[in-house]
């Protein structure tokens, strides 16, 4: 299991949400995951979310903003799952436990599952996803900086670079494990990535 993904197929596709905006985003997410970004026409989103055209236009006057809302919702899922655990990291050993056995966000691979759907396929979605990963990196880098300030990591450590490496291992390791159906490959990838953090432990 990874800190961003579990073994589920992708973001949760629950369209029963009573709030109209949330229901539209959930329905649009379902369309995106099942049929790709080309399926996100206003008419299809309206039908899938069971809202009127006027309501959809009021919620999203700009149809492309729905894609940005999808990314934002999945980022929120990651932060809800990860921020409390990362805020509790006080030692390098805590970070290792977070990396190798973290709680998964609801709905599975909240950000990683969107990469192949949006990257280079939807300009604003691509930019929103890149910004989401930047925020995810900042959250992790702040945890590493706190460990460094506490003397758990030496001064040579670069929290930003270490955070980038851990996120790359999380995403790449999950993809490899999914492809091979072998969870041991994921764990090996994460352990190798954490070796870079451990090399700076004091």
């Amino acid at each position: 299991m990874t800190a961003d993904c579990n073994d589920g197929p992708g973001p949760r596709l629950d369209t029963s949400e009573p709030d109209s905006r949330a229901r539209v985003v959930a329905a649009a997410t379902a369309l995106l995951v099942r049929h790709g970004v080309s399926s996100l026409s206003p008419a299809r989103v309206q039908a899938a979310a069971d809202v009127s055209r006027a309501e959809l236009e009021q919620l999203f006057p700009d149809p492309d903003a729905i894609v940005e809302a999808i990314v934002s919702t999945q980022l929120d899922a990651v932060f809800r799952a990860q921020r409390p655990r990362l805020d509790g990291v006080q030692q390098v050993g805590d970070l290792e436990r977070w990396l190798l056995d973290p709680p998964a966000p609801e709905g599975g691979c909240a950000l990683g599952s969107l990469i192949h759907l949006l990257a280079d396929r939807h300009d604003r979605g691509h930019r929103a996803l890149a910004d989401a990963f930047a925020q995810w990196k900042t959250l992790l880098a702040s945890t590493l900086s706190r460990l460094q300030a506490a003397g758990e990591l030496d001064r040579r450590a670069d929290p930003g670079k270490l955070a980038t490496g851990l996120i790359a291992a999380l995403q790449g390791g999950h993809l490899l494990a999914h492809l091979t159906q072998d969870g041991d490959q994921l764990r090996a990838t994460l352990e190798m990535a954490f070796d870079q953090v451990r090399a700076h432990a004091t």
Side-chain angles (χ1 to χ4, degrees), residues 50-119:
D50 192 24
V51 296
S52 68
R53 179 177 178 178
E55 187 174 16
L56 180 63
E57 291 177 349
Q58 182 178 22
L59 290 167
F60 292 99
D62 176 4
D64 282 347
I66 293 177
V67 177
E68 295 171 328
I70 290 172
V71 175
S72 177
T73 298
Q74 301 312 316
L75 178 63
D76 287 345
V78 170
F79 277 20
R80 281 196 303 272
Q82 297 309 320
R83 193 186 295 277
R85 184 82 174 267
L86 287 172
D87 284 348
V89 169
Q90 301 297 325
Q91 300 176 332
V92 170
D94 298 333
L95 186 67
E96 183 175 19
R97 284 187 288 276
W98 163 83
L99 182 69
L100 298 180
D101 188 26
E106 63 267 33
C109 187
L111 289 177
S113 64
L114 299 180
I115 293 174
H116 76 283
L117 296 168
L118 296 178

Side-chain angles (χ1 to χ4, degrees), residues 181-199:
Q181 295 297 297
D182 182 0
D184 288 342
Q185 301 220 19
L186 171 59
R187 188 172 185 88
T189 301
L190 296 180
E191 287 178 343
M192 289 181 66
F194 195 76
D195 282 345
Q196 299 300 311
V197 177
R198 191 180 291 111

Side-chain angles (χ1 to χ4, degrees), residues 15-16 40 50 88 101 140:
T15 58
S16 64
L40 298 181
D50 192 24
D101 188 26
L140 183 52

